[in-house]
Amino acid sequence: MTKPPSQQINIHQLWAKNFRSLADTSIRLEPLTILVGANGTGKSNILDALRFFKDALRFDLDAAIAFRHGFESIIRLPTSSLATFTLGVKAEIELEHKVLDIAYSFSITGDGDGEFHVEEEVATISESPNSPGFTLQYQRGRLVNDDIFPIEGGPALTSNDSSESLATNLMIPSLVRVWPFQTRLTPSSKTDDDIKSLSVNALRIFFSRLRLVRIFHIFPNTIRNEQDYLARTMLDESAWNLATVLRNFRKTSAGRISLRKIKGAMKELVPGCSDLRVIPSAGNFVVQLKHKTEAGTIWLNLSQESDGIIRLLGIVTALYQRQRMPMMGLEEPELTVHPGALATLADMLNEASQNSQILITTHSPDLIDCITNFRAIEVVRIVDLEDGATVVGEPSGSLASAVREHLFSPGELHRQGDLEIQSGGLDVP
């Protein structure tokens, strides 16, 4: 597995503390990362940590917490009303002939009775992992470190010492979003202010891309019946706007290419399926699939299709939609897929990972082997539960050696229950 070329942003690490079952967890992310582990070990919580980032940036912290039924439903084993959880990501952005490393994290503390505040928020930007870089940091609503904005044209920032003004929303994303000054950095630009301005531009791109992360949970009953037409081009995480997305594909050349890919994928994954269309029906829209039968061909509404076929259509549309996402997550994409079609599904996942990072959970040894081509065990992350806490790690060195020597495949190790986490692992910032 190789790094996809020219990605605008590459998210290479996620960490979490006290978030659901993630007591103190860090995970290294690849262009396509496979999470394996028993039921209840916390694989879904890893995906939800990324979704929380997206929800907090796309909406706000109130919404992100409310979507999860309140602060108490998020915090891991709270011992008091002042329990705190932390989420963070690291990413790499190529901008103006430079590659910048960005780390961003926030810590949220419960105040009791469902209230909360932002305990700390930190963003750091550097040209390489070993350079000091710049830092923007808030603690309990007060600016405590600002290496970036004291430049001409930047916003005026003041520290607030009032304990009554604790922030209840993320401040750094809002700050860089409204900052008006931008600069282009040429190869000869070397001034400190130029680098700082470039850093702000990189942060703006970083946050705008994180807002586009999607973690798909596709339930057939959500999309089985007729759908209203909505002016949205990006598939929702539940795929409830599937008809709109497919209908809009006809309007652009890029969309028509995506639609051809979706039709081709359904032909390969569903025996007898030969075409797809979206038709108006009493003010709504209906998705139909064309099937070959002994008597000829017939168009069937999704309401007449099996759960498996409907879910496959949602997954394939997510993979081939034309709007690029920095990352998408899929839980157990192999569900309802015939074993003979897993190689085709794996090819689609690998193809899609050239444009968007992909994070999947799976229980299927066959899908693991198809994705990794029986050898690329480095993309596998093992998820386990120790003393009620989720731990995530990469396969041990001995297992990696056994795979490289063609003694086992990653899927065979998973089938035998022999996947073991490498000792040590990533440090959590």
Side-chain angles (χ1 to χ4, degrees), residues 34-38 41 43 360-364 368 380-384 391 414 419:
I34 305 171
L35 300 178
V36 301
T41 54
K43 300 186 298 295
I360 70 167
T361 69
T362 183
H363 292 287
S364 170
I368 294 171
V380 176
R381 300 294 179 267
I382 305 163
V383 185
D384 204 352
V391 293
H414 178 52
L419 283 176

Side-chain angles (χ1 to χ4, degrees), residues 80-98:
S80 73
S81 61
L82 297 179
T84 301
F85 72 86
T86 300
L87 293 177
V89 293
K90 288 184 178 180
E92 182 182 88
I93 292 180
E94 185 175 350
L95 185 65
E96 302 292 350
H97 314 289
K98 290 187 177 292

Side-chain angles (χ1 to χ4, degrees), residues 92-253:
E92 182 182 88
I93 292 180
E94 185 175 350
L95 185 65
E96 302 292 350
H97 314 289
K98 290 187 177 292
V99 176
L100 299 177
D101 290 296
I102 294 179
Y104 174 70
S105 66
F106 55 81
S107 299
I108 310 299
T109 295
D111 296 331
D113 298 325
E115 299 300 322
F116 62 89
H117 68 266
V118 182
E119 188 72 20
E120 184 177 52
E121 189 180 355
V122 184
T124 60
I125 307 98
S126 61
E127 287 190 58
S128 69
N130 298 321
S131 66
F134 307 113
T135 299
L136 187 59
Q137 181 178 13
Y138 283 86
Q139 287 181 346
R140 298 179 66 84
R142 294 186 298 113
L143 178 67
V144 297
N145 192 321
D146 181 10
D147 295 335
I148 300 175
F149 283 110
I151 62 178
E152 185 177 354
L157 299 180
T158 58
S159 298
N160 190 333
D161 295 325
S162 172
S163 61
E164 297 179 357
S165 61
L166 296 178
T168 57
N169 205 12
L170 302 177
M171 302 181 72
I172 295 177
S174 299
L175 187 63
V176 300
R177 196 173 190 179
V178 301
W179 190 58
F181 180 72
Q182 295 189 40
T183 186
R184 287 186 63 84
L185 186 66
T186 65
S188 60
S189 297
K190 296 183 182 299
T191 69
D192 198 40
D193 282 359
D194 282 339
I195 300 297
K196 289 178 181 179
S197 185
L198 182 70
S199 297
V200 178
N201 292 341
L203 274 175
R204 181 184 288 114
I205 293 171
F206 171 77
F207 290 125
S208 68
R209 298 295 285 166
L210 283 181
R211 292 185 185 97
L212 296 177
V213 168
R214 293 294 183 268
I215 309 298
F216 291 99
H217 289 276
I218 297 172
F219 299 103
N221 287 341
T222 304
I223 56 179
R224 183 182 298 278
N225 298 316
E226 298 179 359
Q227 298 178 21
D228 295 333
Y229 183 83
L230 298 169
R232 297 187 181 183
T233 59
M234 194 170 190
L235 188 68
D236 185 79
E237 290 172 309
S238 66
W240 63 269
N241 62 335
L242 176 68
T244 293
V245 172
L246 292 172
R247 182 82 172 181
N248 284 337
F249 279 154
R250 307 179 311 159
K251 299 178 180 179
T252 66
S253 58

Side-chain angles (χ1 to χ4, degrees), residues 30-63:
E30 306 287 346
L32 197 161
T33 307
I34 305 171
L35 300 178
V36 301
N39 290 327
T41 54
K43 300 186 298 295
S44 296
N45 292 338
I46 296 170
L47 294 178
D48 192 49
L50 283 167
R51 183 189 283 111
F52 190 98
F53 254 104
K54 180 267 298 181
D55 290 341
L57 293 170
R58 186 182 177 194
F59 305 105
D60 57 25
L61 282 177
D62 255 334

